[in-house]
Amino acid sequence: MYSCLTAKGIGYGLVNDFELEELLLGKAATDKIAPIGCIPTIAAAGSETSNSMVITIEDGMLKRSYNHDCARPKFAIMNPELTYTLPAYQTASGAADIMMHSMERYFTPSATDTDLIDRMAEGLLVAVREAALTAVKEPDNYEARATLMWAGSLSHNGLTGTGRVSDFASHKIEHELGGMFDVAHGAGLCAIWGSWARYVCGTNPERFAQFGVRVFHVEQRFGDAEYTAQKSIEAWENWCREIGMPVSLRELGVMPSDLQIEEMAEKCVATGKGQIGFFKALHKDDVVKILEMAK
């Protein structure tokens, strides 16, 4: 279902003289790839318009990525009807991934006025929130499927991150979870995002409050951004449950040991030379705490 990501890996391999693992592990870099096209059969990763490739390296079970604009496909054929037969779980997991691609860009610091992009991101998030609720119950609802497919492309092509530094800490944490336990990516994101959000919320509770009010219609308590922020995080988790997604590792069916959490945290921050995230800089001990909270 994520064949476009695989195609990108093959494309890199065809025109370069190094092993793909070297690219994924940061030991090599390139701006060369064989031209590829995509026909998505799931609305999720948005790889049909993104510059991103994500592949699991079986040796060590490392889920790693490489991003370069050369990897944007030459064409994409988008037919929502090809997603009708997806199981509800995969439909919901894909919708959550779409949401997260814009949320990872939304919860970031910015020194400039990004209200226009905020509004665009919020509109996309509202549309996906509603379409997902419909699609999991009515799998052949064309409008809902079309909204998810179009949103998947728009959410990960860079548009909703204009003027901002993308955070992607939650993605990096989930990549370790997915690498170790082979869980569905969107479901893994749902299982950890609430814990990440609560851990970093104090950095800018007003941002979380705005998210909840505009995307989930949370009632705002003026003068108490922290309260509204917490209600906003709860609103996200309630939506996850409505579409059948987990909001904890236990609900995901994963119960990592303390040693496994340590291993995931260490591998996670190693991808950023000891630090991940921009909304709040996170180090190994922070990632450990977030994973422990997510249990």
Side-chain angles (χ1 to χ4, degrees):
M1 289 187 293
Y2 294 103
S3 56
C4 187
L5 295 173
T6 304
K8 291 180 181 184
I10 295 170
Y12 280 123
L14 286 173
V15 299
N16 293 286
D17 60 359
F18 48 72
E19 295 295 324
L20 186 60
E21 286 83 355
E22 295 180 53
L23 193 65
L24 294 165
L25 293 173
K27 298 178 180 179
T30 185
D31 61 357
K32 297 181 177 65
I33 191 172
I36 61 173
C38 291
I39 306 176
T41 56
I42 183 173
S47 52
E48 64 275 0
T49 59
S50 81
N51 67 354
S52 179
M53 172 189 68
V54 182
I55 291 179
T56 298
I57 302 171
E58 291 189 359
D59 184 12
M61 292 306 291
L62 299 172
K63 197 172 180 180
R64 293 292 181 266
S65 64
Y66 183 76
N67 302 324
H68 194 284
D69 280 346
C70 71
R72 295 188 191 274
K74 299 299 182 183
F75 71 87
I77 298 174
M78 313 285 283
N79 181 357
E81 293 181 0
L82 296 179
T83 67
Y84 282 3
T85 57
L86 280 171
Y89 189 84
Q90 290 297 336
T91 296
S93 181
D97 192 20
I98 295 168
M99 294 279 277
M100 285 296 305
H101 281 156
S102 282
M103 289 160 63
E104 294 276 28
R105 295 169 166 95
Y106 189 87
F107 291 102
T108 56
S110 174
T112 59
D113 182 2
T114 57
D115 186 62
L116 173 60
I117 297 300
D118 283 355
R119 299 287 185 174
M120 294 174 72
E122 290 154 2
L124 184 149
L125 293 169
V126 169
V128 173
R129 187 203 79 207
E130 296 174 351
L133 290 169
T134 299
V136 296
K137 297 175 182 177
E138 304 172 26
D140 58 352
N141 186 302
Y142 184 89
E143 293 301 325
R145 292 290 190 180
T147 294
L148 292 177
M149 181 166 273
W150 184 216
S153 296
L154 294 176
S155 193
H156 205 28
N157 68 3
L159 173 65
T160 57
T162 305
R164 290 190 172 279
V165 177
S166 297
D167 187 80
F168 278 86
S170 295
H171 263 73
K172 287 184 177 293
I173 296 172
E174 195 289 323
H175 281 174
E176 301 310 323
L177 192 64
M180 182 175 288
F181 296 102
D182 193 28
V183 299
H185 178 53
L189 288 170
C190 290
I192 64 172
W193 188 82
S195 295
W196 170 85
R198 291 183 176 92
Y199 191 80
V200 306
C201 182
T203 301
N204 188 351
E206 291 80 11
R207 191 72 179 155
F208 282 90
Q210 176 178 300
F211 166 75
V213 170
R214 294 185 180 180
V215 177
F216 287 99
H217 307 305
V218 171
E219 185 176 352
Q220 186 172 10
R221 180 181 286 184
F222 292 98
D224 193 348
E226 180 65 34
Y227 173 85
T228 307
Q230 294 300 323
K231 289 298 181 182
S232 300
I233 297 168
E234 290 175 15
W236 156 265
E237 291 179 328
N238 290 337
W239 175 79
C240 289
R241 291 191 176 98
E242 281 190 84
I243 62 172
M245 285 288 98
V247 296
S248 69
L249 296 182
R250 183 180 296 276
E251 291 181 16
L252 183 63
V254 170
M255 285 301 293
S257 66
D258 291 344
L259 287 177
Q260 287 173 321
I261 286 177
E262 286 280 334
E263 180 182 345
M264 285 190 285
E266 187 168 343
K267 288 180 177 178
C268 178
V269 298
T271 65
K273 298 181 180 180
Q275 176 182 307
I276 61 169
F278 291 95
F279 188 81
K280 179 178 181 178
L282 302 175
H283 301 90
K284 178 184 173 181
D285 288 348
D286 299 305
V287 176
V288 167
K289 290 174 183 175
I290 290 169
L291 286 168
E292 288 175 342
M293 287 171 62
K295 285 184 177 182

